[in-house]
PDB file of all heavy atoms in Angstrom:
ATOM      1  N   GLY A 536       0.792  -1.218   0.000  1.00  0.00           N
ATOM      2  CA  GLY A 536       0.000   0.000   0.000  1.00  0.00           C
ATOM      3  C   GLY A 536       0.822   1.266   0.000  1.00  0.00           C
ATOM      4  O   GLY A 536       0.302   2.346  -0.285  1.00  0.00           O
ATOM      5  N   ALA A 537       2.104   1.169   0.299  1.00  0.00           N
ATOM      6  CA  ALA A 537       2.975   2.351   0.354  1.00  0.00           C
ATOM      7  C   ALA A 537       4.128   2.248  -0.632  1.00  0.00           C
ATOM      8  O   ALA A 537       5.165   2.880  -0.460  1.00  0.00           O
ATOM      9  CB  ALA A 537       3.520   2.531   1.770  1.00  0.00           C
ATOM     10  N   LEU A 538       3.942   1.472  -1.706  1.00  0.00           N
ATOM     11  CA  LEU A 538       5.060   1.204  -2.607  1.00  0.00           C
ATOM     12  C   LEU A 538       5.504   2.453  -3.369  1.00  0.00           C
ATOM     13  O   LEU A 538       6.688   2.594  -3.695  1.00  0.00           O
ATOM     14  CB  LEU A 538       4.681   0.097  -3.595  1.00  0.00           C
ATOM     15  CG  LEU A 538       5.881  -0.571  -4.277  1.00  0.00           C
ATOM     16  CD1 LEU A 538       6.674  -1.381  -3.271  1.00  0.00           C
ATOM     17  CD2 LEU A 538       5.431  -1.469  -5.431  1.00  0.00           C
ATOM     18  N   SER A 539       4.588   3.363  -3.676  1.00  0.00           N
ATOM     19  CA  SER A 539       4.986   4.569  -4.409  1.00  0.00           C
ATOM     20  C   SER A 539       6.006   5.375  -3.615  1.00  0.00           C
ATOM     21  O   SER A 539       6.945   5.943  -4.184  1.00  0.00           O
ATOM     22  CB  SER A 539       3.764   5.427  -4.721  1.00  0.00           C
ATOM     23  OG  SER A 539       2.937   4.812  -5.680  1.00  0.00           O
ATOM     24  N   ALA A 540       5.850   5.443  -2.307  1.00  0.00           N
ATOM     25  CA  ALA A 540       6.816   6.166  -1.477  1.00  0.00           C
ATOM     26  C   ALA A 540       8.178   5.495  -1.538  1.00  0.00           C
ATOM     27  O   ALA A 540       9.219   6.168  -1.589  1.00  0.00           O
ATOM     28  CB  ALA A 540       6.314   6.231  -0.034  1.00  0.00           C
ATOM     29  N   LEU A 541       8.208   4.164  -1.568  1.00  0.00           N
ATOM     30  CA  LEU A 541       9.472   3.446  -1.666  1.00  0.00           C
ATOM     31  C   LEU A 541      10.150   3.749  -2.996  1.00  0.00           C
ATOM     32  O   LEU A 541      11.374   3.891  -3.067  1.00  0.00           O
ATOM     33  CB  LEU A 541       9.228   1.937  -1.531  1.00  0.00           C
ATOM     34  CG  LEU A 541      10.459   1.034  -1.626  1.00  0.00           C
ATOM     35  CD1 LEU A 541      11.428   1.356  -0.500  1.00  0.00           C
ATOM     36  CD2 LEU A 541      10.059  -0.433  -1.566  1.00  0.00           C
ATOM     37  N   GLY A 542       9.356   3.872  -4.063  1.00  0.00           N
ATOM     38  CA  GLY A 542       9.920   4.182  -5.366  1.00  0.00           C
ATOM     39  C   GLY A 542      10.639   5.515  -5.389  1.00  0.00           C
ATOM     40  O   GLY A 542      11.640   5.690  -6.088  1.00  0.00           O
ATOM     41  N   PHE A 543      10.149   6.489  -4.612  1.00  0.00           N
ATOM     42  CA  PHE A 543      10.813   7.785  -4.543  1.00  0.00           C
ATOM     43  C   PHE A 543      12.230   7.639  -3.987  1.00  0.00           C
ATOM     44  O   PHE A 543      13.125   8.410  -4.345  1.00  0.00           O
ATOM     45  CB  PHE A 543      10.019   8.737  -3.639  1.00  0.00           C
ATOM     46  CG  PHE A 543       8.841   9.382  -4.326  1.00  0.00           C
ATOM     47  CD1 PHE A 543       8.026   8.657  -5.171  1.00  0.00           C
ATOM     48  CD2 PHE A 543       8.552  10.710  -4.103  1.00  0.00           C
ATOM     49  CE1 PHE A 543       6.945   9.254  -5.801  1.00  0.00           C
ATOM     50  CE2 PHE A 543       7.466  11.329  -4.729  1.00  0.00           C
ATOM     51  CZ  PHE A 543       6.661  10.586  -5.585  1.00  0.00           C
ATOM     52  N   LEU A 544      12.435   6.668  -3.122  1.00  0.00           N
ATOM     53  CA  LEU A 544      13.731   6.516  -2.457  1.00  0.00           C
ATOM     54  C   LEU A 544      14.763   5.827  -3.336  1.00  0.00           C
ATOM     55  O   LEU A 544      15.958   5.920  -3.067  1.00  0.00           O
ATOM     56  CB  LEU A 544      13.557   5.724  -1.156  1.00  0.00           C
ATOM     57  CG  LEU A 544      12.635   6.357  -0.105  1.00  0.00           C
ATOM     58  CD1 LEU A 544      12.519   5.457   1.114  1.00  0.00           C
ATOM     59  CD2 LEU A 544      13.149   7.735   0.302  1.00  0.00           C
ATOM     60  N   VAL A 545      14.340   5.109  -4.368  1.00  0.00           N
ATOM     61  CA  VAL A 545      15.291   4.363  -5.194  1.00  0.00           C
ATOM     62  C   VAL A 545      15.489   4.994  -6.570  1.00  0.00           C
ATOM     63  O   VAL A 545      16.307   4.531  -7.350  1.00  0.00           O
ATOM     64  CB  VAL A 545      14.833   2.898  -5.370  1.00  0.00           C
ATOM     65  CG1 VAL A 545      14.711   2.212  -4.022  1.00  0.00           C
ATOM     66  CG2 VAL A 545      13.522   2.809  -6.135  1.00  0.00           C
ATOM     67  N   ALA A 546      14.752   6.054  -6.877  1.00  0.00           N
ATOM     68  CA  ALA A 546      14.855   6.678  -8.198  1.00  0.00           C
ATOM     69  C   ALA A 546      16.188   7.414  -8.339  1.00  0.00           C
ATOM     70  O   ALA A 546      16.681   8.027  -7.387  1.00  0.00           O
ATOM     71  CB  ALA A 546      13.701   7.652  -8.412  1.00  0.00           C
ATOM     72  N   PRO A 547      16.778   7.398  -9.538  1.00  0.00           N
ATOM     73  CA  PRO A 547      18.024   8.136  -9.753  1.00  0.00           C
ATOM     74  C   PRO A 547      17.753   9.586 -10.124  1.00  0.00           C
ATOM     75  O   PRO A 547      16.714   9.894 -10.723  1.00  0.00           O
ATOM     76  CB  PRO A 547      18.653   7.399 -10.947  1.00  0.00           C
ATOM     77  CG  PRO A 547      17.461   6.944 -11.741  1.00  0.00           C
ATOM     78  CD  PRO A 547      16.393   6.610 -10.714  1.00  0.00           C
ATOM     79  N   PRO A 548      18.646  10.509  -9.803  1.00  0.00           N
ATOM     80  CA  PRO A 548      18.530  11.854 -10.368  1.00  0.00           C
ATOM     81  C   PRO A 548      18.630  11.767 -11.888  1.00  0.00           C
ATOM     82  O   PRO A 548      19.475  11.042 -12.426  1.00  0.00           O
ATOM     83  CB  PRO A 548      19.725  12.603  -9.766  1.00  0.00           C
ATOM     84  CG  PRO A 548      20.115  11.807  -8.562  1.00  0.00           C
ATOM     85  CD  PRO A 548      19.792  10.385  -8.893  1.00  0.00           C
ATOM     86  N   SER A 549      17.772  12.472 -12.591  1.00  0.00           N
ATOM     87  CA  SER A 549      17.730  12.331 -14.045  1.00  0.00           C
ATOM     88  C   SER A 549      17.178  13.598 -14.679  1.00  0.00           C
ATOM     89  O   SER A 549      16.388  14.315 -14.061  1.00  0.00           O
ATOM     90  CB  SER A 549      16.862  11.122 -14.432  1.00  0.00           C
ATOM     91  OG  SER A 549      16.749  10.985 -15.827  1.00  0.00           O
ATOM     92  N   PHE A 550      17.613  13.853 -15.914  1.00  0.00           N
ATOM     93  CA  PHE A 550      17.077  14.978 -16.679  1.00  0.00           C
ATOM     94  C   PHE A 550      17.148  14.628 -18.154  1.00  0.00           C
ATOM     95  O   PHE A 550      18.151  14.083 -18.627  1.00  0.00           O
ATOM     96  CB  PHE A 550      17.850  16.270 -16.410  1.00  0.00           C
ATOM     97  CG  PHE A 550      17.222  17.479 -17.058  1.00  0.00           C
ATOM     98  CD1 PHE A 550      16.162  18.121 -16.450  1.00  0.00           C
ATOM     99  CD2 PHE A 550      17.676  17.950 -18.277  1.00  0.00           C
ATOM    100  CE1 PHE A 550      15.571  19.234 -17.040  1.00  0.00           C
ATOM    101  CE2 PHE A 550      17.090  19.054 -18.878  1.00  0.00           C
ATOM    102  CZ  PHE A 550      16.036  19.698 -18.259  1.00  0.00           C
ATOM    103  N   GLU A 551      16.068  14.929 -18.858  1.00  0.00           N
ATOM    104  CA  GLU A 551      16.003  14.624 -20.287  1.00  0.00           C
ATOM    105  C   GLU A 551      15.935  15.903 -21.098  1.00  0.00           C
ATOM    106  O   GLU A 551      15.147  16.811 -20.798  1.00  0.00           O
ATOM    107  CB  GLU A 551      14.782  13.753 -20.599  1.00  0.00           C
ATOM    108  CG  GLU A 551      14.636  13.451 -22.083  1.00  0.00           C
ATOM    109  CD  GLU A 551      13.493  12.487 -22.376  1.00  0.00           C
ATOM    110  OE1 GLU A 551      13.458  11.412 -21.755  1.00  0.00           O
ATOM    111  OE2 GLU A 551      12.645  12.831 -23.220  1.00  0.00           O
ATOM    112  N   SER A 552      16.776  15.976 -22.135  1.00  0.00           N
ATOM    113  CA  SER A 552      16.775  17.100 -23.067  1.00  0.00           C
ATOM    114  C   SER A 552      16.333  16.610 -24.432  1.00  0.00           C
ATOM    115  O   SER A 552      16.709  15.513 -24.860  1.00  0.00           O
ATOM    116  CB  SER A 552      18.171  17.720 -23.179  1.00  0.00           C
ATOM    117  OG  SER A 552      18.636  18.163 -21.925  1.00  0.00           O
ATOM    118  N   VAL A 553      15.534  17.404 -25.126  1.00  0.00           N
ATOM    119  CA  VAL A 553      15.041  17.065 -26.453  1.00  0.00           C
ATOM    120  C   VAL A 553      15.246  18.251 -27.384  1.00  0.00           C
ATOM    121  O   VAL A 553      14.941  19.394 -27.001  1.00  0.00           O
ATOM    122  CB  VAL A 553      13.537  16.685 -26.428  1.00  0.00           C
ATOM    123  CG1 VAL A 553      13.075  16.258 -27.819  1.00  0.00           C
ATOM    124  CG2 VAL A 553      13.272  15.588 -25.425  1.00  0.00           C
ATOM    125  N   ARG A 554      15.778  17.988 -28.565  1.00  0.00           N
ATOM    126  CA  ARG A 554      15.958  19.041 -29.560  1.00  0.00           C
ATOM    127  C   ARG A 554      15.461  18.539 -30.909  1.00  0.00           C
ATOM    128  O   ARG A 554      15.611  17.367 -31.259  1.00  0.00           O
ATOM    129  CB  ARG A 554      17.442  19.427 -29.672  1.00  0.00           C
ATOM    130  CG  ARG A 554      18.026  20.034 -28.413  1.00  0.00           C
ATOM    131  CD  ARG A 554      17.708  21.497 -28.267  1.00  0.00           C
ATOM    132  NE  ARG A 554      18.420  22.295 -29.244  1.00  0.00           N
ATOM    133  CZ  ARG A 554      19.660  22.736 -29.096  1.00  0.00           C
ATOM    134  NH1 ARG A 554      20.341  22.438 -27.988  1.00  0.00           N
ATOM    135  NH2 ARG A 554      20.218  23.477 -30.028  1.00  0.00           N
ATOM    136  N   SER A 555      14.897  19.447 -31.674  1.00  0.00           N
ATOM    137  CA  SER A 555      14.397  19.113 -33.002  1.00  0.00           C
ATOM    138  C   SER A 555      15.492  19.323 -34.044  1.00  0.00           C
ATOM    139  O   SER A 555      16.144  20.372 -34.072  1.00  0.00           O
ATOM    140  CB  SER A 555      13.182  19.983 -33.336  1.00  0.00           C
ATOM    141  OG  SER A 555      12.744  19.737 -34.655  1.00  0.00           O
ATOM    142  N   TYR A 556      15.717  18.334 -34.889  1.00  0.00           N
ATOM    143  CA  TYR A 556      16.617  18.442 -36.042  1.00  0.00           C
ATOM    144  C   TYR A 556      16.121  17.435 -37.072  1.00  0.00           C
ATOM    145  O   TYR A 556      16.639  16.335 -37.204  1.00  0.00           O
ATOM    146  CB  TYR A 556      18.061  18.155 -35.643  1.00  0.00           C
ATOM    147  CG  TYR A 556      19.055  18.323 -36.782  1.00  0.00           C
ATOM    148  CD1 TYR A 556      19.034  19.447 -37.600  1.00  0.00           C
ATOM    149  CD2 TYR A 556      20.022  17.353 -37.019  1.00  0.00           C
ATOM    150  CE1 TYR A 556      19.938  19.599 -38.634  1.00  0.00           C
ATOM    151  CE2 TYR A 556      20.938  17.489 -38.039  1.00  0.00           C
ATOM    152  CZ  TYR A 556      20.884  18.616 -38.854  1.00  0.00           C
ATOM    153  OH  TYR A 556      21.789  18.764 -39.889  1.00  0.00           O
ATOM    154  N   PRO A 557      15.032  17.783 -37.785  1.00  0.00           N
ATOM    155  CA  PRO A 557      14.381  16.823 -38.665  1.00  0.00           C
ATOM    156  C   PRO A 557      15.100  16.678 -40.005  1.00  0.00           C
ATOM    157  O   PRO A 557      15.840  17.565 -40.432  1.00  0.00           O
ATOM    158  CB  PRO A 557      12.990  17.427 -38.860  1.00  0.00           C
ATOM    159  CG  PRO A 557      13.211  18.902 -38.735  1.00  0.00           C
ATOM    160  CD  PRO A 557      14.310  19.069 -37.738  1.00  0.00           C
ATOM    161  N   GLY A 558      14.819  15.544 -40.645  1.00  0.00           N
ATOM    162  CA  GLY A 558      15.353  15.294 -41.984  1.00  0.00           C
ATOM    163  C   GLY A 558      15.554  13.818 -42.231  1.00  0.00           C
ATOM    164  O   GLY A 558      15.595  13.009 -41.298  1.00  0.00           O
ATOM    165  N   GLU A 559      15.657  13.455 -43.497  1.00  0.00           N
ATOM    166  CA  GLU A 559      15.911  12.057 -43.837  1.00  0.00           C
ATOM    167  C   GLU A 559      17.300  11.667 -43.353  1.00  0.00           C
ATOM    168  O   GLU A 559      18.269  12.429 -43.490  1.00  0.00           O
ATOM    169  CB  GLU A 559      15.802  11.852 -45.350  1.00  0.00           C
ATOM    170  CG  GLU A 559      14.394  11.993 -45.900  1.00  0.00           C
ATOM    171  CD  GLU A 559      14.317  11.636 -47.371  1.00  0.00           C
ATOM    172  OE1 GLU A 559      15.262  10.976 -47.865  1.00  0.00           O
ATOM    173  OE2 GLU A 559      13.323  12.001 -48.022  1.00  0.00           O
ATOM    174  N   LEU A 560      17.412  10.464 -42.793  1.00  0.00           N
ATOM    175  CA  LEU A 560      18.686  10.025 -42.239  1.00  0.00           C
ATOM    176  C   LEU A 560      19.795  10.072 -43.283  1.00  0.00           C
ATOM    177  O   LEU A 560      20.923  10.470 -42.994  1.00  0.00           O
ATOM    178  CB  LEU A 560      18.556   8.594 -41.688  1.00  0.00           C
ATOM    179  CG  LEU A 560      17.869   8.428 -40.333  1.00  0.00           C
ATOM    180  CD1 LEU A 560      17.946   6.986 -39.878  1.00  0.00           C
ATOM    181  CD2 LEU A 560      18.495   9.333 -39.294  1.00  0.00           C
ATOM    182  N   ALA A 561      19.481   9.658 -44.493  1.00  0.00           N
ATOM    183  CA  ALA A 561      20.509   9.584 -45.532  1.00  0.00           C
ATOM    184  C   ALA A 561      21.064  10.950 -45.901  1.00  0.00           C
ATOM    185  O   ALA A 561      22.138  11.048 -46.506  1.00  0.00           O
ATOM    186  CB  ALA A 561      19.940   8.894 -46.774  1.00  0.00           C
ATOM    187  N   ARG A 562      20.367  12.026 -45.545  1.00  0.00           N
ATOM    188  CA  ARG A 562      20.790  13.362 -45.944  1.00  0.00           C
ATOM    189  C   ARG A 562      21.264  14.223 -44.773  1.00  0.00           C
ATOM    190  O   ARG A 562      21.697  15.361 -44.981  1.00  0.00           O
ATOM    191  CB  ARG A 562      19.644  14.068 -46.653  1.00  0.00           C
ATOM    192  CG  ARG A 562      19.174  13.353 -47.919  1.00  0.00           C
ATOM    193  CD  ARG A 562      18.037  14.113 -48.580  1.00  0.00           C
ATOM    194  NE  ARG A 562      17.574  13.414 -49.787  1.00  0.00           N
ATOM    195  CZ  ARG A 562      16.594  13.851 -50.568  1.00  0.00           C
ATOM    196  NH1 ARG A 562      15.969  14.995 -50.276  1.00  0.00           N
ATOM    197  NH2 ARG A 562      16.230  13.165 -51.635  1.00  0.00           N
ATOM    198  N   LEU A 563      21.177  13.709 -43.563  1.00  0.00           N
ATOM    199  CA  LEU A 563      21.589  14.499 -42.403  1.00  0.00           C
ATOM    200  C   LEU A 563      23.107  14.547 -42.273  1.00  0.00           C
ATOM    201  O   LEU A 563      23.813  13.603 -42.667  1.00  0.00           O
ATOM    202  CB  LEU A 563      20.995  13.906 -41.121  1.00  0.00           C
ATOM    203  CG  LEU A 563      19.502  14.121 -40.879  1.00  0.00           C
ATOM    204  CD1 LEU A 563      19.077  13.431 -39.588  1.00  0.00           C
ATOM    205  CD2 LEU A 563      19.158  15.599 -40.811  1.00  0.00           C
ATOM    206  N   GLU A 564      23.612  15.613 -41.697  1.00  0.00           N
ATOM    207  CA  GLU A 564      25.028  15.744 -41.409  1.00  0.00           C
ATOM    208  C   GLU A 564      25.288  15.237 -39.988  1.00  0.00           C
ATOM    209  O   GLU A 564      24.806  15.813 -39.017  1.00  0.00           O
ATOM    210  CB  GLU A 564      25.465  17.210 -41.533  1.00  0.00           C
ATOM    211  CG  GLU A 564      25.351  17.779 -42.938  1.00  0.00           C
ATOM    212  CD  GLU A 564      25.866  19.203 -42.999  1.00  0.00           C
ATOM    213  OE1 GLU A 564      26.482  19.658 -41.990  1.00  0.00           O
ATOM    214  OE2 GLU A 564      25.652  19.859 -44.022  1.00  0.00           O
ATOM    215  N   TRP A 565      26.040  14.154 -39.886  1.00  0.00           N
ATOM    216  CA  TRP A 565      26.259  13.563 -38.570  1.00  0.00           C
ATOM    217  C   TRP A 565      27.035  14.488 -37.644  1.00  0.00           C
ATOM    218  O   TRP A 565      26.815  14.497 -36.430  1.00  0.00           O
ATOM    219  CB  TRP A 565      26.958  12.221 -38.695  1.00  0.00           C
ATOM    220  CG  TRP A 565      27.107  11.568 -37.360  1.00  0.00           C
ATOM    221  CD1 TRP A 565      28.238  11.394 -36.654  1.00  0.00           C
ATOM    222  CD2 TRP A 565      26.050  11.045 -36.559  1.00  0.00           C
ATOM    223  NE1 TRP A 565      27.978  10.784 -35.450  1.00  0.00           N
ATOM    224  CE2 TRP A 565      26.619  10.563 -35.368  1.00  0.00           C
ATOM    225  CE3 TRP A 565      24.673  10.947 -36.741  1.00  0.00           C
ATOM    226  CZ2 TRP A 565      25.873   9.985 -34.367  1.00  0.00           C
ATOM    227  CZ3 TRP A 565      23.922  10.368 -35.729  1.00  0.00           C
ATOM    228  CH2 TRP A 565      24.519   9.890 -34.562  1.00  0.00           C
ATOM    229  N   ASP A 566      27.938  15.288 -38.179  1.00  0.00           N
ATOM    230  CA  ASP A 566      28.673  16.222 -37.322  1.00  0.00           C
ATOM    231  C   ASP A 566      27.718  17.193 -36.631  1.00  0.00           C
ATOM    232  O   ASP A 566      27.892  17.530 -35.457  1.00  0.00           O
ATOM    233  CB  ASP A 566      29.695  16.999 -38.158  1.00  0.00           C
ATOM    234  CG  ASP A 566      30.859  16.128 -38.604  1.00  0.00           C
ATOM    235  OD1 ASP A 566      31.034  15.053 -38.001  1.00  0.00           O
ATOM    236  OD2 ASP A 566      31.571  16.524 -39.540  1.00  0.00           O
TER     237      ASP A 566
END
């Protein structure tokens, strides 16, 4: 009944970044 609280204690610090750079893979510049 209290498992969500336990999950808070084992979670890692984390941050996600997302950027847009669209295009066909064959034509993108990998650099």
Side-chain angles (χ1 to χ4, degrees):
L538 198 69
S539 290
L541 179 62
F543 279 41
L544 299 178
V545 301
S549 177
F550 187 82
E551 178 175 307
S552 302
V553 183
R554 296 279 290 275
S555 176
Y556 183 47
E559 291 186 17
L560 282 186
R562 299 180 181 180
L563 286 178
E564 295 183 10
W565 184 251
D566 289 343

